[in-house]
Amino acid sequence: MLAPIPMENGHLSASLVAQYWQDGYLFPLEITPPDQAQEWRQAFEDMERDWLASDLPLPLNSYKRLNAQCVMPLAWEIGSNKAVLDVVEGVLGPDILLYAVEFFVKEPGTTHTVSMHQDLTYWGMGAIDGLLTAWIALSPATPQSGCMDFVRASHKNAILPHSDTFDANNLLSRGQEVSVEVADKDKVAIEIHPGQMSLHHGLTIHGSGPNTSDDRRIAAVVRYLTPEVAQEHGNKDYAIPVRGQDTGGNFRHYQPAQDWFTTQGLSMHDEIRAHQAQVTMAGARKKSMYEGAK
Ligand SMILES: O=C(O)CCC(=O)C(=O)O
C-alpha cells in the first residue's frame, strides 16, 4: 500500500502537476479522512436500500452510472467538495465545470470488469487536455477488489481506435475496448483506500479487473472540465460551474440535485441522457445498457 502523496496545504505542488502531465495520472491523494468516506458510503448504501424497489423511470443502476449529480444530493456533495476541487484546480486551473458524477460499483466475488479504454473516445469533445477524472474510493480499491490499471504516459496518444464488445460483464455502456494490446507489464495498479483519490487524463488508457475480494468496490467518479472545452457534435452539452467562472459559455448550466430523485431532477437527468446518448452512442449497434427502460 503506497503512502498518500504529500500535498501543500491540500494543493498540488508544481512538481506534482508536472508529474500528472508526464504520466497522465496521479495517486494516491488523500482528500478526506476515512470516516468521512465511510459516511459517504453509508449514504450511498442507504440510497440503494431506499430506492431499489421504487418506481423510478429507469433502473436504479442507470442513475448511479450516469449523471448522478442530477438526482442524488450525495453525488453533488462529493463533486463540489472543496478538498477535491483544491486538488483539481492544480491541474485544470481556477475555472472548473463539473461534467458528471458516476458511481462505479463492483460486487464482491463477481466477474465484472472494465475493458482498457480512453474516456474521450465517444464523448464528442476531441482529444483535449481539459477533461480530468477524480476517482474517489468509498471502499478499498486494490488489485483483489478490481482497482483501476493505468498505462503510464498513454494520454500522449491521439484517440485510438476502439471496438464495441457489448460484453454483459463489462461496466462500460458499449463495452468499448481500445484496439491495441496492452501488456500486463505496462499496467500500473491504482490501489487507493477510502478517502483517497486518483486523477486521470481523458486520454489515459485504463481499465479494471474483477472484484475477487469479500467487500464491495465502490467509487464516486467525478469528471471535470475547463471552460474552453466544447461539445463538437450537435447542440451545447451540459455542465455546472463549481469554481471560478465559466469563461467559455460552451455548456448549458442547470441545478444539481437538492433532494433525492425529485421530479425536476429526474426530468433533468432524462434531458441530459437523451442529449448525450446521441453523441456517446452514435454508430453503436445496440443501446446502452444504462438507458433502457426497466
Ligand atoms: O471504476 C472502474 O473500474 C473504471 C472507471 C473508469 O473507467 C473511469 O473512471 O473512467
Side-chain angles (χ1 to χ4, degrees), residues 76-87:
W76 172 242
E77 180 186 332
I78 297 174
S80 58
N81 179 273
K82 178 180 179 309
V84 175
L85 291 171
D86 283 350
V87 176

Side-chain angles (χ1 to χ4, degrees), residues 104 106 114 117 119 133 135 146 148 172 200 206 208 217 221 223:
F104 268 83
K106 286 185 193 162
V114 172
H117 67 285
D119 291 330
T133 294
W135 197 103
M148 286 193 295
L172 299 180
H200 69 266
H206 63 289
S208 63
R217 197 219 66 171
V221 181
R223 320 282 183 189

